[in-house]
Every structure is written in structure tokens, then in C-alpha cells.
């Protein structure tokens, strides 16, 4: 059947339920698309059998009148999630060949809800990056090309680059992503799809390879807001195996979805107007502000005075936590082992880590161990923790005068592969609008809002109060409906 890969999560779920098509047909159509889309390098492992088995279970469940929320929906799973007996590498050579004997809570929740897995999605190594170029398995290509004839391959963003590319190219109707400092939102913006990072603690981190534990959060990426709400509902929930998991019921976000934002106060943080950001970013932001005003929201000017410290704070805290988390890769317990002949244990650690980690990961381990070292702990790590508290307080103050914040998601459209890969600072600057909400643990969504002059997608971000995903999704839906973004990349793969 043709056309099935044009459907999103809600349409697949409803079509399987009403018998318009079988789950098996859906799984077959997407698995064929995954195979045809290999030039994008979005998947590190393809698991068509997993998708088919779940589909057959869904078709049987329909016959028995026992459909589940995601019966018949095939998904891509970011390779940061441990999947039982399926290779899980977090984009790193150091986990080469690792097949976890357990399932991450998030992927397990999705499968328990009836979803199947099309495969594992490529990503920046240990989720460190904004372009998917730090993956040990090569960069992911964006399905988008600039319309001006400049055919340079573009990044789909990162670190959830495979996730973004797979959804935009219609290889999967929805996927998991993870967001430590923007990795769901920035790639979603770069490829014209929707992605939400929920409140820190909504989704269990158990079985999700750790990068920076106080920031890491799972979330969905899909074609629209409704599909994200459906996926997030299935992913989220209390998990006693994660000590930071929130022991709260999962709201029925989809059933409560409403694009009615009349009376909502939407804050425009003045410190997000940053010198050097291209005019097209300001323009799409102004457009979003006008659309929300038209929808009946009240637009208010707000101040988040510590915004300019967010990026340096993030790039102290995230590497510090990463250096500690990544100490477990020692050649003994997981994946790769390099043991020089006649070497001792330390030689093995060193050889394994030298061969297993890529340049960006090594850079972060060095920064992290430096800022945590006895001589510099107070000057860097401790101070960064204090500034983090001030950043969180900025948001608390903003919520006194507004309900949501509207900002650009990223300071540019997608850039070309190679354009920033030799300049870590330029790469880090890409996270400027994303990291404040991460440091404060707040829910934030990116919704596609338009195309730039070169025909590339631009996204807008909505940030909400802790636990108020509903308002974020609702305002996202209002923006989605009014922006009417319908562009999609022309297939070349
Ligand atoms: N680009 C940011 C970084 O490199 C964020 C990554 C993420 O959210 N996983 O750390």
C-alpha cells in the first residue's frame, strides 16, 4: 500500500482501530522506507522483525477487541536507550557490540503500550553535540536541501539527529529523543518537525545511557503536537528505578488538548534578543508573537536577567556530570576493550578509553574533570551550581507575570555538515536558547513556524511552568494551527 508512511501517530492508531488498514501493512511500509532511506544514515540498527511482531500482536489485539494506546504504531528509538538484545551504542565506539540484557523504562513503556521498533537511531556520541557529527557511525544527513541550488549536505541538528531525520523523511511516524541541553528541540526545529522535552523527572532515565544526569530527559519527536502528546503519555510515568523520577500520575495530555489560548499570558524574554542572530530568526519570532496575539493570547515583555550565563553554566555542569558518568567505560564491564600486550590494568583503561571515545567526548571529560578538581571546584563547578539556581529563579519570577515563554528554538536554520565541526564554541552557541529551560528542568516544545529564504525550516520554542506540559502542548497546537507549516523535503534519498 502506498501513502501509509504519510500518516502520523494518531492517524495510524485510528486507522488500525477502524480497520482501514492493518498494523502489518503499516510496519511493512515504514520498514521499506527505512531501507530506502539508508543514504540518510539515520539508523544504526534496523529491526523490521521487532516492528512486524508488534504489528501482528496489534492486529490480533484488534480482532480480540483489546487494542492498546499505541497498537500498530512503529517507532524509531534513539540509540541512547538500552533495548534488550538489540545493539545499543549511544553513538560511541566504546559501546561497540553492546547488547543490553534489559530494556530501558521509556522504550519498555512504549512497547507495553503496543508500539513496535523500526530500529535504533543514530546520534551524537553520548548525546554530546548539535549536529550529529560526533557519532562514531558517521553524520546523519538532513533530508532538507537549500533551495538556492547550494546542495551541500545539511545537518539535521543534534544530538537526536537520526530521530529528526527519520521523522522528517517519513521513515518513522514518531521517535524517542533525549534532551540534555536542546537535543530534542534544536533538531526538531532544523527539520521542520515537533519535539517536546517534558519537565525533568517525567520520563524515567533508567536504561537511558547517562550524559549529564541532572539534565537528561527523554521526550518524543513527531510530525505534530497531537502525536507528541500521544507518545509522551505512553513514555512518561513514575519509575522507582530512577531516584529522580516524579511520583505523579501522567496527565491525559491528548484528551485535554485545546488550541484555545485566549487569556493566556505569553512572555517574550527580552534577553533572548541576541546580537549576531540572523534577521530571519527575529522575523519568525515576530511572526509567532503575532500569531499568538491573533489567537487571543496576551503578549507580555519579561526579563530573564541571568540568560547570558546559561550557556557557560551548562558547559560546566554538563561536562562535569559527563566526566563522572563516563568513568564506567573502562574496558571491563561494557563494549570495547583494548589491552596492550604486557600492559597492566591502567594501560588497559587508557588504551580502551583512547580508542573508544571520540574527540568531543574526550574534550568534555577533560573539561569536566578540570572543573571538578580540588583546586578549581569552587571556582567553576560550585559557582555554576549557584548560577543555575539563579537561572531557575529567573523563570520563577517570570511566572508571576506570564504563563508561557515564546522564543526561537535555535539561533539559525540548519547549517552545512562541516561548517562548525572545527569550532566547538560556535557549535555550543547553537544551544543558546535551549539550555536555560534545561537548567531549570522546565517543559519546552519546538514547533515548526516557517521557512527561511533558502527554503529551510525554522522553529519556535514554548517554555512552560514545571509540570505544565498541558499549557505547552496547547499553545504549541495554537501555534501549529496558525503557522500552518506544511512544507516537507523533496525526496532525493
Ligand atoms: N548540544 C548540546 C550539547 O552538546 C546539547 C546536547 C543534548 O541535549 N544532548 O551538550
Amino acid at each position: 500500500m502506498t501513502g501509509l508512511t504519510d500518516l502520523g501517530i494518531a492517524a495510524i492508531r485510528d486507522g488500525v482501530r477502524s480497520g482501514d488498514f492493518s498494523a502489518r501493512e503499516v510496519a511493512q511500509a515504514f520498514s521499506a522506507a527505512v531501507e530506502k532511506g539508508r543514504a540518510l544514515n539515520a539508523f544504526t540498527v534496523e529491526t523490521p522483525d521487532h516492528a512486524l511482531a508488534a504489528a501482528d500482536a496489534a492486529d490480533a489485539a484488534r480482532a480480540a477487541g483489546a487494542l492498546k494506546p499505541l497498537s500498530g504504531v512503529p517507532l524509531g528509538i534513539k540509540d541512547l536507550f538500552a533495548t534488550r538484545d538489540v545493539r545499543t551504542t549511544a553513538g560511541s565506539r566504546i559501546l561497540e557490540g553492546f547488547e543490553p540484557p534489559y530494556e530501558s523504562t521509556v522504550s519498555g513503556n512504549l512497547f507495553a503500550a503496543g508500539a513496535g521498533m523500526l530500529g535504533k537511531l543514530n546520534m551524537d556520541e553520548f548525546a554530546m553535540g548539535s549536529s550529529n557529527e560526533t557519532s562514531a557511525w558517521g553524520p546523519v544527513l538532513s533530508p532538507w536541501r537549500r533551495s538556492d541550488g547550494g546542495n551541500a549536505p545539511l545537518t539535521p541538528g543534534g544530538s537526536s539527529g537520526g530521530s529528526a531525520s527519520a521523522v522528517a523523511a517519513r521513515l518513522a511516524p514518531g521517535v524517542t529523543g533525549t534532551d540534555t541541553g536542546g537535543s530534542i528541540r534544536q533538531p526538531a526545529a532544523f527539520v521542520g518537525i515537533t519535539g517536546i522535552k517534558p519537565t525533568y523527572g517525567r520520563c524515567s532515565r533508567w536504561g537511558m545511557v547517562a550524559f549529564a544526569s541532572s539534565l537528561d530527559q527523554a521526550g518524543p519527536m513527531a510530525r505534530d503536537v497531537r502525536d507528541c502528546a500521544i507518545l509522551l503519555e505512553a513514555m512518561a510515568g513514575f519509575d522507582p528505578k530512577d531516584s529522580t523520577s516524579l511520583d505523579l500520575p501522567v496527565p491525559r495530555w491528548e484528551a485535554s488538548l485545546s488550541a484555545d489560548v485566549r487569556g493566556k499570558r505569553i512572555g517574550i524574554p527580552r534577553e533572548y534578543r541576541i546580537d549576531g542572530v540572523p534577521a530571519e530568526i527575529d522575523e519568525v519570532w515576530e511572526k509567532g508573537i503575532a500569531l499568538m496575539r491573533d489567537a487571543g493570547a496576551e503578549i507580555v515583555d519579561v526579563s530573564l536577567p541571568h540568560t547570558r550565563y546559561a550557556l557557560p553554566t551548562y558547559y560546566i555542569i554538563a561536562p562535569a556530570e559527563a566526566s563522572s558518568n563516563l568513568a564506567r567505560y573502562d574496558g571491563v564491564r561494557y563494549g570495547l576493550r583494548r589491552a596492550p600486550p604486557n600492559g597492566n590494568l591502567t594501560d588497559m583503561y587508557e588504551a580502551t578509553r583512547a580508542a573508544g571515545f571520540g574527540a568531543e567526548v574526550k574534550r568534555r571529560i577533560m573539561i569536566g574533570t578540570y572543573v571538578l578538581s580540588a583546586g578549581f571546584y569552587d571556582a567553576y563547578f560550585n559557582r555554576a551550581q549557584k548560577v543555575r539556581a539563579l537561572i531557575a529563579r529567573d523563570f520563577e519570577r517570570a511566572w508571576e507575570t506570564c504563563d508561557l515563554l515564546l522564543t526561537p528554538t535555535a539561533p539559525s536554520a540548519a547549517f552545512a555538515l562541516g561548517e562548525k565541526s572545527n569550532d566547538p564554541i560556535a557549535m555550543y552557541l547553537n544551544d543558546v536558547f535551549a539550555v536555560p529551560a534545561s537548567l531549570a528542568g522546565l517543559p519546552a516544545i519546538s514547533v515548526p513556524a516557517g521557512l527561511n529564504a533558502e527554503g529551510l525550516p525554522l522553529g519556535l520554542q514554548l517554555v512552560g511552568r514545571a509540570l505544565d506540559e498541558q499549557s505547552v502542548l496547547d499553545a504549541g497546537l495554537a501555534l501549529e494551527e496558525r503557522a500552518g507549516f506544511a512544507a516537507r523535503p523533496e525526496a532525493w534519498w
Side-chain angles (χ1 to χ4, degrees):
M1 251 179 102
T2 54
L4 287 177
T5 57
D6 288 323
L7 303 178
I9 309 278
I12 292 170
R13 174 194 65 187
D14 297 346
V16 167
R17 186 171 300 164
S18 62
D20 293 347
F21 40 77
S22 68
R24 175 165 260 269
E25 288 169 306
V26 175
Q28 282 169 334
F30 278 103
S31 293
V34 168
E35 211 180 307
K36 193 158 170 285
R38 282 182 187 154
L40 297 166
N41 200 25
F43 284 84
T44 53
V45 185
E46 296 171 13
T47 55
D49 293 346
H50 190 292
L52 268 188
D56 288 344
D59 289 330
R62 177 172 187 271
L67 284 168
K68 298 177 188 169
L70 290 178
S71 285
V73 177
L75 300 172
I77 303 292
K78 185 176 179 179
D79 202 28
L80 203 62
F81 295 89
T83 41
R84 186 184 293 119
D85 299 331
V86 177
R87 199 167 75 223
T88 299
T89 66
S92 183
R93 207 164 279 292
I94 210 155
L95 277 171
E96 196 159 17
F98 175 52
E99 291 186 0
Y102 50 82
E103 191 71 51
S104 81
T105 299
V106 160
S107 53
N109 285 349
L110 290 166
F111 301 154
M117 174 167 65
L118 292 160
K120 301 297 292 288
L121 293 157
N122 201 348
M123 53 176 284
D124 279 302
E125 186 175 7
F126 288 107
M128 298 174 192
S130 304
S131 65
N132 221 110
E133 290 167 290
T134 73
S135 168
W137 321 122
V140 176
L141 274 58
S142 170
W144 292 86
R145 293 268 166 97
R146 287 183 179 132
S147 60
D148 62 2
N151 249 354
L154 300 176
T155 172
S159 65
S160 311
S163 302
S165 206
V167 174
R170 309 293 198 250
L171 312 187
V175 295
T176 60
T178 67
D179 193 312
T180 301
S183 280
I184 287 176
R185 293 161 281 159
Q186 180 256 23
F190 275 17
V191 303
I193 66 168
T194 303
I196 180 168
K197 177 193 92 71
T199 308
Y200 180 81
R202 273 284 190 207
C203 291
S204 170
R205 289 182 298 109
W206 195 82
M208 194 171 96
V209 176
F211 163 12
S213 305
S214 76
L215 295 155
D216 297 343
Q217 203 26 227
M221 298 164 74
R223 283 179 213 160
D224 59 26
V225 172
R226 176 170 300 275
D227 286 1
C228 281
I230 295 169
L231 287 180
L232 185 58
E233 243 174 270
M235 293 165 70
F238 175 60
D239 179 7
K241 289 188 288 199
D242 171 2
S243 62
T244 60
S245 169
L246 293 168
D247 191 358
L248 292 170
V250 178
R252 304 208 39 215
W253 290 303
E254 189 204 3
S256 309
L257 257 190
S258 157
D260 185 359
V261 291
R262 282 174 299 173
K264 287 269 183 196
R265 296 163 306 167
I266 298 192
I268 309 301
R270 62 181 91 110
E271 291 81 4
Y272 279 51
R273 299 201 187 274
I274 295 172
D275 284 347
V277 168
E280 65 192 30
I281 298 296
D282 268 334
E283 283 158 22
V284 77
W285 195 9
E286 289 306 326
K287 174 181 159 186
I289 294 170
L291 293 176
M292 295 313 277
R293 192 181 283 123
D294 288 349
E298 184 193 336
I299 304 296
V300 297
D301 172 56
V302 298
S303 173
L304 300 172
H306 297 90
T307 298
R308 70 196 188 93
Y309 303 111
L311 207 54
T313 300
Y314 172 86
Y315 276 99
I316 289 172
I317 291 174
E321 294 186 15
S323 71
S324 167
N325 274 324
L326 271 55
R328 74 190 66 174
Y329 303 103
D330 54 8
V332 178
R333 288 168 289 183
Y334 307 89
L336 188 82
R337 173 179 302 166
R338 285 288 157 81
N342 309 319
N344 61 23
L345 185 64
T346 305
D347 296 329
M348 188 200 68
Y349 290 160
E350 288 179 358
T352 300
R353 290 167 67 87
F357 290 138
E360 182 62 26
V361 172
K362 287 176 182 161
R363 180 180 298 127
R364 305 248 184 148
I365 292 173
M366 285 191 282
I367 295 171
T369 47
Y370 179 80
V371 301
L372 288 174
S373 62
F376 296 99
Y377 183 90
D378 282 330
Y380 292 104
F381 186 70
N382 222 2
R383 191 164 295 189
Q385 296 286 47
K386 290 178 186 166
V387 178
R388 181 178 187 174
L390 294 175
I391 289 165
R393 207 170 67 192
D394 281 356
F395 284 103
E396 286 306 319
R397 296 235 164 104
W399 303 139
E400 290 167 11
T401 55
C402 68
D403 305 302
L404 292 156
L405 297 166
L406 177 68
T407 79
T409 306
S412 71
F415 46 90
L417 291 178
E419 200 176 311
K420 296 186 200 288
S421 41
N422 294 321
D423 185 351
I425 302 289
M427 194 68 92
Y428 297 170
L429 282 171
N430 224 263
D431 304 325
V432 63
F433 298 134
V435 295
S438 296
L439 289 165
L442 302 176
I445 197 169
S446 179
V447 175
L451 295 175
N452 73 1
E454 294 168 317
L456 298 181
L458 298 172
L460 289 174
Q461 169 178 243
L462 286 152
V463 183
R465 292 187 176 92
L467 301 178
D468 194 10
E469 285 84 3
Q470 192 69 57
S471 294
V472 173
L473 290 161
D474 287 353
L477 185 65
L479 185 59
E480 172 184 293
E481 286 182 357
R482 280 162 199 271
F485 184 89
R488 51 187 286 189
E490 212 169 296
W492 52 263
W493 53 92

